[in-house]
Amino acid sequence: VALKQEEKAATLLREARETATSIVLLKKLARLDLDRGKPELALESFRKLERLIPRDWETAKAIGDCLFRLKRVDEAIKAWREPLTDQQFSFQEGYSLFTDVLIEHKLQEEALQAFDEARRRFNDPTLFAEQRARLLDALGRPAEALQEYFSSLVHGPFKIETFNRLFEQGDGI
């Protein structure tokens, strides 16, 4: 790798017997494959990694990224969602990670659906109001964003940033 011979390094890692059981080597191989524009090979390494450390968010995120790069969007969403049912995350933290990765991959409508799903699941109509408002703002839906900002201000702890956002939004009304 240091000699800029990524192809050779990837081949050596793929052929080395110890790679199959080494978290460090599998991660290195997967990153090499991604850097070389080979998400299908990286996916194989991340799947092996998943068997060594199941329900790991970083691995699931990487698997989803590979699937997304391969234009397998539904499978990517499923991969990102799967470890979040595990007890290592609070459910709210899990939804936050999930929606962040959806937004990162420009899947904004899916993120809005996930926010709504979390609200129904936890019977909290204001859950993620600020995050949802920022996303609606970014999508050019100011009326809906304003409603979310207002909801977060009324039902959540007072935050000056939210108040300022409402104030700025109100100027245009």
Side-chain angles (χ1 to χ4, degrees), residues 2 16 23 30 59-60 63 71 75-76 78 85 93 95 99 104 117 120 124 146 150 170:
I23 292 170
T59 304
I63 287 171
K71 310 252 186 283
E75 290 176 72
K78 183 178 177 189
T85 59
E93 179 187 15
Y95 271 99
T99 54
E104 177 184 318
E117 176 186 315
R120 285 189 307 274
D124 182 350
L146 183 62
F150 183 70

Side-chain angles (χ1 to χ4, degrees), residues 154-170:
V154 170
H155 298 288
F158 180 79
K159 293 183 181 175
I160 192 65
E161 303 86 22
T162 304
F163 176 79
N164 288 339
R165 184 67 80 163
L166 263 173
F167 189 75
E168 291 166 11
Q169 291 276 344

Side-chain angles (χ1 to χ4, degrees), residues 84-143:
L84 304 180
T85 59
D86 198 5
Q87 296 302 317
Q88 77 182 39
F89 300 106
S90 72
F91 288 116
Q92 191 167 340
E93 179 187 15
Y95 271 99
S96 185
L97 291 168
F98 180 53
T99 54
D100 285 350
V101 80
L102 290 172
I103 293 166
E104 177 184 318
H105 286 82
K106 309 244 184 290
L107 298 169
Q108 293 94 338
E109 290 302 322
E110 289 83 350
L112 288 172
Q113 290 170 9
F115 286 137
D116 291 341
E117 176 186 315
R119 288 176 170 186
R120 285 189 307 274
R121 185 171 184 184
F122 303 113
N123 198 28
D124 182 350
T126 63
L127 188 63
F128 295 116
E130 286 183 71
Q131 297 91 322
R132 196 170 192 282
R134 283 193 301 272
L135 179 55
L136 289 165
D137 251 348
L139 291 172
R141 294 160 60 178

Side-chain angles (χ1 to χ4, degrees), residues 40-103:
E40 66 284 349
L41 292 176
L43 180 60
E44 289 176 24
S45 296
F46 284 125
R47 291 282 190 205
K48 289 176 185 174
L49 191 59
E50 182 181 43
R51 287 191 286 277
L52 295 176
I53 44 175
R55 297 180 118 20
D56 173 64
W57 170 245
E58 291 304 318
T59 304
K61 186 177 175 187
I63 287 171
D65 183 55
C66 289
L67 291 165
F68 186 83
R69 290 178 189 208
L70 293 167
K71 310 252 186 283
R72 294 161 56 185
V73 177
D74 290 341
E75 290 176 72
I77 293 171
K78 183 178 177 189
W80 291 323
R81 179 185 288 279
E82 192 169 320
L84 304 180
T85 59
D86 198 5
Q87 296 302 317
Q88 77 182 39
F89 300 106
S90 72
F91 288 116
Q92 191 167 340
E93 179 187 15
Y95 271 99
S96 185
L97 291 168
F98 180 53
T99 54
D100 285 350
V101 80
L102 290 172
I103 293 166

